[in-house]
Amino acid sequence: MKVVAVAFGCVLVLGGAGAGWLYWHLDRNIHSVDIDGALGDDRPARPVAAASPSATAAARPVDTSVLNLLVLGSDSRTGEENKALGGGDSGGARSDTAMVVHLDAGRTSATVVSIPRDTLVERPSCPTESGGTSAVAYGVMFNSAYALGGPVCAVKTVEHLTGVRMDHYLEVDFAGFAKLVDALGGVDVTTGEAIDDDLSHLHLEAGDHHLDGAQALAFARTRHGVGDGSDLGRIKLQQQLVKALMSKVSADGLLTDPARLYTVADAATGSLTADTGLDSLAELTGLARSLGDLTADSVRTVVMPVVRAPSDANRVVADEPEAGKLWESLR
């Protein structure tokens, strides 16, 4: 989310009448979904404790209270760009990456919890586009929630699984993610073992690598060429990539290059779908400002504790009580 902070910087650097047009363009890039309106009040409570907003002489107060966000990477399986990047030929949409991002009070540290897409869950009744509701489903794959009811059902399923209120929702699509990495000039990762995955089109020797957008996306998607071939191996790569991108943004000094700054801001906002509390450039930049002291080293990445599902060796279920203890620590 720090990447989005470049948006205001771009407007300020280029200035003048053009700034108004740039702000309008970047703001319109962001897709919006009304999670709160769709789900109403039948949700976990918001955290009671909150940090006082911090302020400096040069800026208005910034909210640094506890915050939980659901961040999804979507496999839309539609569109020529997504297809070329490995989206496939089938219709429908899936959430192949799901992370609950918990920002601690003060927002100088965070915990990122990955939920394996192959987790079997109880999917609650969700609102449908036709105005009705879906039936409760038991023992279905976690990512079926997004396929059935989009962001709204994904949020409701995560809240039902975790008991944690998702304050905000952010979704990044295939093509947008690849463009963002390219706009940043690529990202550096280190692999402890060779990756050889024909399905994701990724072939890397063990060692240090500089990845472009398409390679970074393949790195986040690959599962058959690393570890035991399960979703858990892919999650480790995704978490490594998140930290590498944070380090890249922090070290890049984008404000000294207005043209590149705009390219990054355009890619960042163009790749996003956000809830109505984060669907404007001003709101996203406010969030990014609150993360000014958050570094890659202060972000803890974990996977929801899971065990192999008794009913299907290719699926997993939450490992209780360990999973429950983890979610309790984030409330």
Side-chain angles (χ1 to χ4, degrees):
M1 284 164 298
K2 279 190 172 183
V3 178
V4 181
V6 302
F8 265 159
C10 179
V11 172
L12 294 174
V13 169
L14 297 180
W21 182 88
L22 289 174
Y23 183 99
W24 176 84
H25 173 72
L26 294 172
D27 204 57
R28 282 176 58 88
N29 265 351
I30 305 163
H31 296 281
S32 176
V33 58
D34 186 4
I35 301 291
D36 287 340
L39 295 185
D41 297 326
D42 185 21
R43 305 175 65 186
R46 296 184 187 278
V48 176
S52 299
S54 62
T56 66
R60 63 184 180 181
V62 175
D63 182 10
T64 58
S65 59
V66 173
L67 200 70
N68 290 304
L69 306 94
L70 176 61
V71 180
L72 294 188
S74 65
D75 177 3
S76 71
R77 302 276 168 174
T78 58
E80 290 303 317
E81 286 183 297
N82 280 339
K83 182 179 177 181
L85 290 167
D89 299 319
S90 61
R94 301 182 306 179
S95 54
D96 274 3
T97 302
M99 297 179 177
V100 173
V101 180
H102 173 82
L103 302 173
D104 295 322
R107 301 192 187 173
T108 58
S109 60
T111 300
V112 177
V113 184
S114 294
I115 303 175
R117 72 170 194 177
D118 294 340
T119 305
L120 298 182
V121 300
E122 177 184 322
R123 189 181 64 219
S125 175
C126 295
T128 61
E129 291 185 359
S130 62
T133 56
S134 65
V136 177
Y138 301 92
V140 297
M141 281 180 57
F142 167 75
N143 69 344
S144 71
Y146 182 89
L148 174 73
V152 171
C153 196
V155 169
K156 188 166 185 180
T157 301
V158 168
E159 291 184 341
H160 184 75
L161 173 67
T162 66
V164 178
R165 172 73 171 245
M166 296 297 109
D167 299 297
H168 291 297
Y169 172 84
L170 290 174
E171 178 185 331
V172 182
D173 69 8
F174 264 7
F177 177 80
K179 288 179 180 178
L180 175 58
V181 173
D182 282 335
L184 286 168
V187 63
D188 297 318
V189 299
T190 300
T191 58
E193 61 179 306
I195 298 175
D196 190 17
D197 189 348
D198 289 334
L199 292 177
S200 67
H201 311 298
L202 185 66
H203 304 279
L204 298 174
E205 298 294 332
D208 298 331
H209 300 279
H210 183 76
L211 308 181
D212 63 19
Q215 290 172 317
L217 181 59
F219 189 81
R221 294 183 64 242
T222 194
R223 64 183 292 179
H224 299 289
V226 62
D228 62 0
S230 73
D231 197 37
L232 299 179
R234 172 166 55 186
I235 285 174
K236 290 181 180 179
L237 297 182
Q238 292 171 349
Q239 292 177 338
Q240 180 185 354
L241 190 59
V242 166
K243 288 199 169 188
L245 283 169
M246 286 187 65
S247 298
K248 175 73 173 180
V249 172
S250 298
D252 248 17
L254 292 170
L255 289 174
T256 62
D257 188 345
R260 183 161 165 255
L261 182 65
Y262 175 76
T263 301
V264 172
D266 193 33
T269 54
S271 70
L272 289 179
T273 296
D275 69 276
T276 49
L278 279 182
D279 62 352
S280 73
L281 193 56
E283 290 161 335
L284 283 168
T285 304
L287 174 60
R289 286 175 58 207
S290 78
L291 305 180
D293 295 326
L294 183 67
T295 65
D297 290 338
S298 61
V299 176
R300 179 173 68 116
T301 55
V302 298
V303 181
M304 181 183 76
V306 294
V307 294
R308 195 174 301 278
S311 61
D312 188 340
N314 295 316
R315 302 288 180 258
V316 296
V317 293
D319 184 12
E320 300 294 357
E322 283 72 18
K325 292 177 182 178
L326 173 62
W327 297 125
E328 178 64 30
S329 71
L330 304 186
R331 292 180 191 138

